[in-house]
Amino acid sequence: MAAAEPTAHDLIAQHRPTLDQALEAIRTRAYWSPHPEHPKAYGENGSLDAAAGKAAFDALLNTRLDLGQPGTDDWVGEETSPYGIALGVTYPHADVDVLLPAMTAGQRAWREAGAEVRAVVCLEILKRIADRTHEFAHAVMHTSGQAFMMAFQAGGPHAQDRGLEAVAYAYAEQVRTPGTAEWSKPQGKRDPLAMTKTFTPVPRGVALLVGCNTFPTWNGYPGLFASLATGNAVLVKPHPRAVLPLALTVGVAREVLAAAGFDANLVALAAERPGEGIAKTLATRPEIKIIDYTGSASFGDWLEANARQAQVYTEKAGVNTVVVESTAHYKGMLANLAFSLSLYSGQMCTTPQNLLIPRDGIRTDEGPKTYDEVVADLARSVDGLLGDDARANALLGAIVNPDVKARLEAAAGLGEVALASREVANPEFPDAVVRTPVIVKLDGAKPDDEAAYMSECFGPVSFAVAVDSGADALALLRRTVRDKGAMTVGAYTTDPEFERDVEEVCLAEAAQLSLNLTGGVYVNQTAAFSDFHGSGGNPAANAALTDGAFVANRFRVVEVRRDA
Amino acid sequence: MAAAEPTAHDLIAQHRPTLDQALEAIRTRAYWSPHPEHPKAYGENGSLDAAAGKAAFDALLNTRLDLGQPGTDDWVGEETSPYGIALGVTYPHADVDVLLPAMTAGQRAWREAGAEVRAVVCLEILKRIADRTHEFAHAVMHTSGQAFMMAFQAGGPHAQDRGLEAVAYAYAEQVRTPGTAEWSKPQGKRDPLAMTKTFTPVPRGVALLVGCNTFPTWNGYPGLFASLATGNAVLVKPHPRAVLPLALTVGVAREVLAAAGFDANLVALAAERPGEGIAKTLATRPEIKIIDYTGSASFGDWLEANARQAQVYTEKAGVNTVVVESTAHYKGMLANLAFSLSLYSGQMCTTPQNLLIPRDGIRTDEGPKTYDEVVADLARSVDGLLGDDARANALLGAIVNPDVKARLEAAAGLGEVALASREVANPEFPDAVVRTPVIVKLDGAKPDDEAAYMSECFGPVSFAVAVDSGADALALLRRTVRDKGAMTVGAYTTDPEFERDVEEVCLAEAAQLSLNLTGGVYVNQTAAFSDFHGSGGNPAANAALTDGAFVANRFRVVEVRRDA
């Protein structure tokens, strides 16, 4: 270890206050973040500013990212940015029969370090990632297709927040049981029975993180840091189209682990050849004891059914609903919904898909509005929001892959189009596929339409579903969450009884509910330390980010007891 | 509700101090129990004394235990005590298509009661069970075959402790997230974004408890109370040979729930006809979202593989090992081991099976002892402990079923018998099958012997396995835990380095270790609030009693957020 590298003691001194703040934040769930959202906040105290971050990203292009991993038998990587750039970065391809054993070599020392040292090492990893937020922003942008500002915020500070939140939960869980206990049981007139007991959190083994295309860091960090902080090694299998952000993450983790005196191989990357499908192979390896996955329901279900040797945490797919029953702020509702439908071209697992609107219309502060009026006004709001191409590009980002584009194009054939999707030119990246969202009118009572609105149509597609009444909307909401799952539910109502009823549906079906959002918070956004992402209680996901259940089974506690 | 019945407010006033003590106990893991172990401690403050408890049990015999459950289509029950008495009690047989829907009717009110009220209702259930400890003791004795004092303690106060411990964990987990939060995010010069958020623990649905024959209450209460305290309904499916203790428990729970103004059907019994095998049917019903199971590895594995709609907590089977490397208290070691092998005829999931002893012998405070000497001395210790028939009966209890008797009889053919099992006459219950344990010598290096010592042989059978060295013992210990699982590991050593090595094996393989026990604490006993039962990290069990992971996924948290 170089003299300048921090010791575990240094790291505790440096990061314990942040850990304590995070522990307080998850307890109060008030607003908190140590990671600035504004790009201009970076450039001091060792962090890269915008120009340096861009330069660092550019320097990565067309290079080999050598992470120094054992068992590297090849170099792979064929990422092309949704903005049209071939990244040209190659990554180590692992012989897993060499890499996996190497990952277990350092586990004892990592376990023996204890929960606090593991937590502050994780915080140092996050700190070094945070310093490179500008560089990561470009990596996220050019793999997910997010617009720069979103890639910066969601891929940077918000992802780091989610990682830190997971570390805080992991730490809190491990220290719930004391390290030692003196146990003395009275025996009447005889001497008490006395035992000295030690309790040690022990890891499960190697954790596998299966990354996703759209939010490689945001969706990846909770599992990665929860597993690492609880003593496990972590093998990161990124989505083949979104390797770079997680490869950089692995690089930072390996650097910090080694600097702190631990085995760098506690974190490693498993990049793959096109079509290799190594997730399936890795997921059933006996060494793999934990899997975190974000992606399609079909592979998530496969993991749950087949990776029986592992704890499996999945975020799959759902059908998100917004119930529009009435509103006291019609314009605010329209603006809020328009933004939610447009952000990142609706390519979020939290984007609303089905807008349930009574066919007889709704009450608003601007008087009654018919179903047709509401849909037309919403279409106009989206149009207004995205009328300027520069603003549209900044909000929409690029379509992440051809499947999403195909679904978007097919959606127009599913019903009457209330708002047609249009192409937006991106002057900086002419090859980017940028599209505004489509809104299609469907009838909740027509079986043909049901096939459309009861399936997830991931991308910039939403359905304005005419329902018979508010009660009918609630029945459909309940059925949708129960059968298809939902990451988010939204509702607009001025009727206290209806509000209680929609809350009851969400409580009964375990769906996270946003009520009457008309300002700058959107149903598709959740804030770490305060909002849960998913509930883990409906088919969309079997875990929530982040709660006790997300961390408590990533380790076990071993007790050793002796006569005192 | 009758005027004399306690309100939720009364129950909080009455039980909150106990809950707080339990919360403190699981935090410090020091000794604590509110449930007296001594039979003479009962008889005041509404609890039944010995005579009243016996009379209450006798009054149950040859009666129909009508729990007032909906959907009762028949009356079933064919329990015969291992002591030879036909109990003659019949129980409701349920039409589950009627019973299961009825169990969900009261779930909303139970959810809305909140974590604290649910906890104190559970504590009231436990209090009324505790008052009837003498009655339950006979019920446990005459279903499990435990001797009276063990049935009293393990089936009474110790089981109640485990239930209370689960309630404390469940309560603590649910209140980790605040009920409400005010979230205010600064926006520079603009007004902050401000949200009001509520967080509500919601149950998963109906939990299924699949009870076991040997410890119906001790192994049943943790899951039952963890599920109930987190807002779920609980369907109790007892072992057909051990229905009565859990049926009485269900009766008390229904009585308390109704008295507190909740739906009695939140807890119900599913007794079955001989050979009906309803556990399989129930386990895959869509209403069943949680399963707790104690029993054979084969059915536990089946549940884990097939009850995919549920969270499954299993305690299965393992091969428990004691490593005998050296000792500073030879007599104490022999006495301690003799007791562990004899208690309840070794019919505990925690009883040691394999005693690994170096073939060259061990160092002791009485000089070196050869392998043969150690085994012979241990045999003599067991003989001495059980030489008096009255004492033998009080320790051994009865053989619980013919399978155990058959295994015991077959064990003598597996190798050289160091201690033969003998029949003990029970003057009070002449039909009881009472047997002392057998100790068989095996050679760790012989493949034929390995087939015996690497399988679980549940019952009063232990193997003195000759190993090449301490290091060989550790290698075998590691392999045994990894491949077969273990609820307990014991070790005797005076060598600090060997002690560290055995600890390391247990930490690496997630096994609970007792070191150098020579007094009144035995490897097969764990104390609630302090000791973990199982680790959940090796094949013997996928959960530990009780930790955060045991409760955290029995409920989910639903967030509702609004603009503030």
Side-chain angles (χ1 to χ4, degrees), chain A residues 183 185-187 193 561, chain B residues 31-39 42 126 129-130 133-134 136-137 140 146-167 215-223 225 339 343 348 350 520-522 524-531 533 545-546:
Chain A
W183 180 88
K185 179 177 178 178
Q187 296 292 293
L193 295 174
R561 57 181 187 172
Chain B
Y31 171 77
W32 180 71
S33 170
H35 301 117
E37 276 183 328
H38 203 294
Y42 295 78
L126 284 164
I129 290 169
T133 294
H134 270 286
F136 273 81
V140 170
Q146 292 173 23
F148 178 78
M149 185 56 95
M150 180 169 178
F152 185 92
Q153 294 189 336
H158 298 173
Q160 295 151 22
D161 282 349
R162 280 284 178 208
L164 176 53
E165 177 187 55
V167 174
F215 289 91
T217 56
W218 198 99
N219 275 101
Y221 284 3
F225 284 100
F339 188 93
L343 184 64
M348 301 173 73
T350 51
V521 173
Y522 304 96
N524 32 348
Q525 295 178 324
T526 62
F529 308 109
S530 183
D531 295 321
H533 176 71
L545 302 178
T546 293

Side-chain angles (χ1 to χ4, degrees), chain A residues 248-510:
Chain A
L248 294 176
T249 302
V250 169
V252 174
R254 293 174 62 84
E255 165 194 310
V256 170
L257 284 163
F262 298 100
D263 191 330
N265 295 325
L266 287 166
V267 178
L269 186 77
E272 61 191 317
R273 298 189 189 96
E276 189 179 356
I278 56 169
K280 272 198 178 184
T281 311
L282 291 171
T284 53
R285 289 278 301 209
E287 299 93 338
I288 300 295
K289 300 296 191 188
I290 299 169
I291 299 175
D292 286 274
Y293 168 75
T294 309
S296 72
S298 60
F299 191 59
D301 291 343
W302 185 91
L303 285 172
E304 292 172 18
N306 291 281
R308 307 296 316 289
Q309 85 292 350
Q311 306 284 323
V312 179
Y313 304 88
T314 57
E315 183 187 319
K316 298 178 286 191
V319 173
N320 301 320
T321 297
V322 175
V323 176
V324 180
E325 194 265 348
S326 55
T327 179
H329 189 2
Y330 189 57
K331 282 201 174 59
M333 177 184 86
L334 295 172
N336 190 281
L337 284 175
F339 188 93
S340 284
L341 299 182
S342 303
L343 185 64
Y344 187 27
S345 314
Q347 297 170 118
M348 301 174 73
C349 57
T350 52
T351 304
Q353 174 178 308
N354 294 344
L355 313 173
L356 310 189
I357 307 165
R359 63 179 84 247
D360 293 340
I362 66 169
R363 283 167 289 105
T364 82
D365 56 322
E366 301 183 11
K369 301 285 180 184
T370 66
Y371 165 84
D372 285 335
E373 284 171 332
V374 174
V375 179
D377 289 342
L378 178 60
R380 258 190 297 277
S381 284
V382 175
D383 248 353
L385 181 67
L386 304 175
D388 172 69
D389 274 7
R391 181 163 180 186
N393 274 301
L395 257 183
L396 294 168
I399 298 299
V400 64
N401 65 43
D403 291 346
V404 174
K405 181 160 171 277
R407 270 196 299 272
L408 168 62
E409 287 162 357
L414 295 171
E416 182 191 340
V417 173
L419 175 68
S421 174
R422 71 176 178 89
E423 292 191 37
V424 178
N426 185 318
E428 190 181 356
F429 300 105
D431 292 338
V433 178
V434 184
R435 294 287 187 281
T436 65
V438 63
I439 302 177
V440 178
K441 288 175 156 180
L442 296 176
D443 188 327
K446 285 193 183 157
D448 281 0
D449 288 7
E450 179 170 330
Y453 68 71
M454 284 295 273
S455 305
E456 192 203 27
C457 188
F458 185 80
V461 177
S462 57
F463 301 120
V465 182
V467 294
D468 293 340
S469 62
D472 187 32
L474 293 184
L476 179 52
L477 170 64
R478 185 187 292 270
R479 188 156 60 90
T480 305
V481 177
R482 187 176 290 179
D483 294 351
K484 299 296 171 179
M487 295 301 293
T488 59
V489 173
Y492 291 89
T493 182
T494 58
D495 177 346
E497 191 180 336
F498 190 83
E499 185 173 318
R500 277 194 300 275
D501 290 347
V502 69
E503 283 193 61
E504 177 56 27
V505 171
C506 290
L507 290 166
E509 303 302 331

